[in-house]
Amino acid sequence: MTNSAASHLLPVFARVDLAFERGEGCYLVATNGERYLDFTSGVAVNALGHAHPALVAALQAQATKLWHMSNLFKSPDGERLAARLCEQSKFADFVFFCNSGAEALECVIKVVRKHHAAKGHGERYRMITFEGAFHGRTLATLAATGSEKYLEGFGPPLDGFDQVPHGDLEAVKQQIGPHTAGILIEPIQGEGGVRSAPPAFYRALRGLCDEHGLLLAFDEVQTGMGRTGELFAHRRFGVTPDVMSLAKALGGGFPVGACLATANAAAGMTPGSHGSTFGGNPLAIAAANAVLDVMLEPGFLDHVQKMSLLLKQKLAAVIDRHGDVVSEVRGEGLLIGVKAVVPSTDLVAALRHEKLLTVGAGENVVRFLPPLIVTEAEIEQSVASLERACAALSAGNLTRAAGP
Ligand SMILES: *Cc1c(COP(=O)(O)O)cnc(C)c1O
């Protein structure tokens, strides 16, 4: 054993020196007893907060019955979840269950490639993706992500992805060629810095796909499951994709991902063409069915939109007062980004000092991702924390500026 460091966890994460032992709704309780308001939601995962009674009950009930069952046999609860997701999606006919966002994207990519192969056009295997995208950390999804800093040192990236500037329709048109199979895009770039493009851009992509026989794939791993105030973010665009990935909030904290596809898109997916040992695991399916039960209750998404409006208004007021620290609010629903003027890592640390947990993103943005069950009082508390953090950072800057 050569590892002399204190930790035996592979050091791929820059972890904060803070650990939590339990969660209650929007709060996390640290091992030292301190309470934090959790506006990370495990990076858009704990949409119903921590220890939601309906999720706890569903998982406890399933835990006494059946933990795992292979896909050699039928899955009545998986059938039910798939049927509900298809109905809600208003486009999909089939669902493949997997265990993470990256795996959902792997399935998306395979569905798109196999679709064309099954129609006799195996030469169509390339997908157009966008700068600033994030699709995961497997070798294929990294290639789709296209970020130099994540790809470096891992050998030649998987071939088949052509990246164009985000929101640039002309660049997309230029890129379409005889090998193009589809277009892959997030309705809002989450990791990339809560970056949006106008709904007309997505409608234009749909038009281009229809015109050229391409498949349109939406990566809703972060935006899906109520995060933007709609069950799926693309509902705001007035067009549907052919293929869509879900994960993060789908299991409310239990690992589960999904790839949804139309029958036409999935034309090449036949027995043996894809698989997963754990995909559609009974515990994961029970958690996801319970999440959907809560999210489909009348008023759930209205609440998200109401809290979104409140949070955005209050954040805008803080920006008015502290333009030297924060400069812009972006995003939809409760996928909110605050663009920092100071280094975003400093703002995240200052907020943590004020007992508010947030998460950074590209373009020097700090993401506010509260559980979707967040209350008005909790929103007010978060903004008060931001106010104090801004005041502290301004004071720090002044001291620094006045110093030697
Ligand atoms: C988080 C994320 C992924 C990757 O999900 P993992 O579960 O970490 O593999 C893919 N796409 C988007 C848009 C994401 O936000």
Side-chain angles (χ1 to χ4, degrees), residues 25 32 49-50 72 93 103 111 124 128 131 156 190 203 215-216 234 335 374 381:
N32 63 8
H50 300 277
L72 294 170
D93 300 298
E103 275 182 68
V111 164
R124 286 189 167 200
I128 296 173
E131 286 172 15
R203 288 197 288 269
L215 295 181
L216 180 61
H234 73 260
L335 174 49
V374 69
Q381 189 190 329

Side-chain angles (χ1 to χ4, degrees), residues 43-45 99-105 133-138 141 145 186-191 219-223 245 247-248 256 367:
V43 192
V45 168
N99 314 287
S100 69
E103 275 182 68
L105 267 304
F134 184 78
H135 300 299
R137 300 290 203 135
T138 61
T141 58
T145 295
E186 297 153 87
I188 297 173
Q189 289 187 339
E191 302 302 311
D219 180 355
E220 293 239 26
V221 166
Q222 187 155 163
T223 55
S245 54
K248 292 203 162 95
V256 56
R367 272 175 293 176

Side-chain angles (χ1 to χ4, degrees), residues 92-305:
D93 300 298
F94 294 115
V95 181
F96 178 82
F97 290 115
C98 52
N99 314 287
S100 69
E103 275 182 68
L105 267 304
E106 288 276 341
C107 185
V108 165
I109 296 162
K110 287 178 78 173
V111 164
V112 169
R113 290 185 174 196
K114 201 71 191 283
H115 166 87
H116 291 288
K119 306 232 154 166
H121 288 285
E123 79 284 1
R124 286 189 167 200
Y125 68 95
R126 307 191 68 84
M127 293 183 80
I128 296 173
T129 61
F130 294 86
E131 286 172 15
F134 184 78
H135 300 299
R137 300 290 203 135
T138 61
L139 288 168
T141 58
L142 265 187
T145 295
S147 154
E148 293 290 335
K149 94 176 165 199
Y150 294 157
L151 280 162
E152 216 239 294
F154 295 111
L158 182 77
D159 182 36
F161 299 96
D162 298 307
Q163 204 161 49
V164 300
H166 188 239
D168 187 340
L169 197 63
E170 266 321 301
V172 177
K173 285 183 189 162
Q174 292 295 315
Q175 193 60 59
I176 295 173
H179 299 293
T180 309
I183 299 174
L184 169 63
I185 189 167
E186 297 153 87
I188 297 173
Q189 289 187 339
E191 302 302 311
V194 193
R195 290 210 301 166
S196 309
F201 178 69
Y202 293 87
R203 288 197 288 269
L205 292 182
R206 176 74 273 173
L208 282 177
C209 285
D210 293 342
E211 184 186 333
H212 296 276
L214 311 177
L215 295 181
L216 180 61
F218 286 158
D219 180 355
E220 293 239 26
V221 166
Q222 187 155 163
T223 55
M225 304 311 292
R227 180 48 62 184
T228 67
E230 302 279 353
L231 193 62
F232 307 117
H234 73 260
R235 281 192 182 169
R236 294 187 306 114
F237 305 156
V239 291
T240 54
D242 302 292
V243 199
M244 177 170 84
S245 54
L246 293 176
K248 292 203 162 95
L250 180 58
F254 202 93
V256 56
C259 170
L260 281 69
T262 63
N264 176 48
M269 303 306 278
T270 50
S273 58
H274 197 42
S276 165
T277 298
F278 288 128
N281 168 285
L283 293 167
I285 296 292
N289 266 319
V291 166
L292 213 46
D293 287 343
V294 175
M295 288 192 180
L296 295 179
E297 273 168 22
F300 183 88
L301 294 171
D302 293 338
H303 174 78
V304 177
Q305 287 176 1

